[in-house]
Amino acid sequence: MTRIFIPGSYTLWPDDQSLGPASPPYSPQTIGSERILEASSPLGSGTMDDVDPLWSPSACFLYRSTLVDISLGRRVWGLRQPVYGFNGLVEGAIKLSEKCTHVVRLEVSLLGRIRVTVSNRGMLSEAINHDLVSSPVVLSCPPNGVFTPTEESFPFSIPFPSFVNGGTTPLPPSYGTWLPTFSAEVEYCVRVDVSRKGFRRHELRVIPIMYLPKTWPSHPIPEKELVFSLHPALTVYKTVTLTPVWPGDACPEARARATIPTLSFPSSGITFSSGHPVPLRLTVQSRGAPALASLLIQGVEAQLAKHLVALAKDGQVVGGRDIVLSKANFIHTDTSQEGLAVSCFELTLAEPGKEQSWRIADTLEMHYLIRVSVRRPDGAAKFVPTYQHVSRIGVASEAWGTREGELLRFGGFSAPAIGMSDQRLELRPASSMPW
């Protein structure tokens, strides 16, 4: 019996291994049905080695026009826009085409700005613009009398500053939110200005980029057993009382003897890592009405909210946005003692690496709120209040470590907080900021 083997195909013989080989024969020489793959330059003829890595369209951020080509370096983080971390270097190069003659000035600028708009009934009622960064660099131009560009590229390197212009406030990350009556944007860009002699067209190019600095927690989140047991070694927590909220027709005597629940809460100025659960403990003590403690503990609710606030020059709040990120996960409730009820629960600080507290004084602020409330029993509005407590908590993007430690590990380089990248910012066709 004769069998024909097609080159390049595999044949299995499950029943009788002696009838033929498990795979077709191969040889060093190619046959008619095989092809050879060879690497070639993406820009045309030649090999891959002929392409300057800075100008590879598949590996770099390239922005081209008829007069100017701009490269902002390699695509490292897999995003649609260049992204930089703390003190990141905006490095790239500029090439002038043969048509871009009579250039007298070539300037590259790193710019950052906050823009807040508030509208009322379709009319603009408030507009806030605040400059964050302005770092221009003038590149070397052809000497006087030489107006024909050469094939050389003009490299540049501009570092992100640590603080906002003229202050000590850290630069905020890229951010954007758009609502029908309120919008807030924190944007950065690279602006290229090519000035030409005479009445020739001035070339201006604005390239949006993203700035996502990492932040680190001030303290590790304590073990939940320490919080639930009120361990004396727990120094990053404090005890706060919830505020009673009474209806207008409440009984005066009930107001005087009202039970006040207490909450074990992180101290002021403490920053924890995003994505990690924060343990909390709520205590209701009512010796005079033992059943009330058990009833109140059943109405405990807690949530984490992301709160953006925009301020006018006079300090008045002109707009904002509030988003609930997570709700409490109750661990256990103890009502074994008469007149005493304890509820232990955890509140997760959103998703790992995606949240971060920041602020620009008197302009824009992003903070996080933990809201805890206790509902009163049905039908007891005149005798039992509801209880509320709202406090800020600092949130950092990273889980552990310090900025100094990362700089030492990576030779003075800090990677961006990629988890904070907002796809809405990436997918926008162009920057709406009036640069």
Side-chain angles (χ1 to χ4, degrees):
M1 182 175 62
T2 304
R3 295 186 181 274
I4 299 175
F5 295 94
I6 300 176
S9 65
Y10 289 85
T11 306
L12 298 179
W13 307 93
D15 299 329
D16 189 354
Q17 299 293 334
S18 64
L19 295 178
S23 62
Y26 286 92
S27 63
Q29 293 78 25
T30 59
I31 59 178
S33 62
E34 296 179 331
R35 298 292 184 266
I36 298 177
L37 299 179
E38 294 181 351
S40 62
S41 170
L43 298 180
S45 61
T47 64
M48 292 289 290
D49 296 336
D50 298 330
V51 182
D52 186 344
L54 191 60
W55 298 98
S56 170
S58 61
C60 298
F61 289 102
L62 293 185
Y63 305 89
R64 294 183 170 179
S65 66
T66 57
L67 298 179
V68 180
D69 291 346
I70 305 169
S71 172
L72 289 184
R74 298 183 62 85
R75 299 176 181 268
V76 179
W77 305 108
L79 301 179
R80 295 173 181 266
Q81 292 180 0
V83 58
Y84 304 91
F86 178 78
N87 286 154
L89 279 177
V90 181
E91 296 181 301
I94 300 173
K95 274 186 180 181
L96 306 178
S97 69
E98 296 180 356
K99 298 180 181 180
C100 190
T101 60
H102 298 78
V103 176
V104 296
R105 183 182 177 86
L106 183 57
E107 181 178 287
V108 182
S109 303
L110 172 62
L111 303 176
R113 187 176 296 176
I114 288 179
R115 178 179 173 86
V116 178
T117 59
V118 182
S119 60
N120 185 14
R121 296 182 180 180
M123 302 294 293
L124 183 65
S125 60
E126 190 77 31
I128 302 172
N129 292 281
H130 185 78
D131 291 332
L132 299 175
V133 181
S134 180
S135 302
V137 174
V138 178
L139 305 182
S140 58
C141 292
N144 293 332
V146 180
F147 297 119
T148 302
T150 62
E151 291 298 326
E152 68 173 323
S153 62
F154 299 91
F156 60 87
S157 178
I158 308 176
F160 270 93
S162 302
F163 306 104
V164 176
N165 283 340
T168 58
T169 304
L171 278 181
S174 298
Y175 177 79
T177 182
W178 301 272
L179 298 174
T181 60
F182 170 77
S183 68
E185 298 173 83
V186 180
E187 290 194 351
Y188 299 89
C189 77
V190 174
R191 189 178 68 184
V192 178
D193 293 277
V194 182
S195 301
R196 304 171 69 192
K197 186 177 181 181
F199 294 99
R200 295 167 181 86
R201 188 181 76 183
H202 174 75
E203 189 74 8
L204 174 65
R205 188 68 185 269
V206 176
I207 303 173
I209 60 176
M210 299 181 69
Y211 178 65
L212 302 176
K214 292 181 178 180
T215 56
W216 282 266
S218 61
H219 295 78
I221 297 179
E223 296 291 337
K224 59 184 179 182
E225 289 78 11
L226 298 179
V227 178
F228 296 162
S229 63
L230 297 180
H231 197 279
L234 190 64
T235 59
V236 296
Y237 271 58
K238 63 181 179 180
T239 300
V240 297
T241 58
L242 274 66
T243 303
V245 179
W246 292 90
D249 58 347
C251 177
E253 296 180 358
R255 290 174 181 264
R257 61 174 186 268
T259 298
I260 304 298
T262 59
L263 177 69
S264 295
F265 193 85
S267 302
S268 301
I270 299 297
T271 302
F272 288 152
S273 302
S274 67
H276 291 253
V278 174
L280 301 172
R281 170 187 163 124
L282 181 74
T283 303
V284 179
Q285 187 171 0
S286 178
R287 301 298 185 185
L292 181 60
S294 299
L295 291 174
L296 287 176
I297 208 67
Q298 299 176 19
V300 177
E301 295 180 351
Q303 59 181 216
L304 173 73
K306 180 178 183 178
H307 194 62
L308 177 71
V309 177
L311 304 174
K313 293 181 179 180
D314 57 359
Q316 182 181 0
V317 176
V318 296
R321 187 178 188 183
D322 192 276
I323 304 174
V324 175
L325 299 179
S326 62
K327 295 185 178 181
N329 176 31
F330 289 89
I331 305 300
H332 65 84
T333 300
D334 182 11
T335 57
S336 58
Q337 299 184 42
E338 184 178 8
L340 178 66
V342 177
S343 179
C344 299
F345 52 94
E346 292 181 326
L347 193 60
T348 302
L349 301 182
E351 299 182 40
K354 295 196 66 173
E355 304 296 335
Q356 182 183 124
S357 302
W358 52 269
R359 68 184 297 269
I360 300 297
D362 302 328
T363 305
L364 202 62
E365 182 175 357
M366 175 68 74
H367 56 254
Y368 297 82
L369 303 175
I370 291 182
R371 301 189 179 110
V372 179
S373 63
V374 179
R375 300 191 313 271
R376 58 173 168 257
D378 296 335
K382 293 185 178 181
F383 307 99
V384 180
T386 59
Y387 300 89
Q388 297 178 354
H389 178 76
V390 180
S391 289
R392 295 188 184 184
I393 182 170
V395 178
S397 63
E398 302 307 299
W400 62 275
T402 61
R403 174 170 286 120
E404 291 74 14
E406 185 181 55
L407 294 176
L408 289 175
R409 289 193 302 273
F410 294 100
F413 171 77
S414 180
I418 299 299
M420 293 179 57
S421 61
D422 192 336
Q423 297 297 325
R424 295 176 302 171
L425 291 176
E426 294 184 49
L427 296 177
R428 298 184 70 192
S431 174
S432 63
M433 198 76 71
W435 301 105

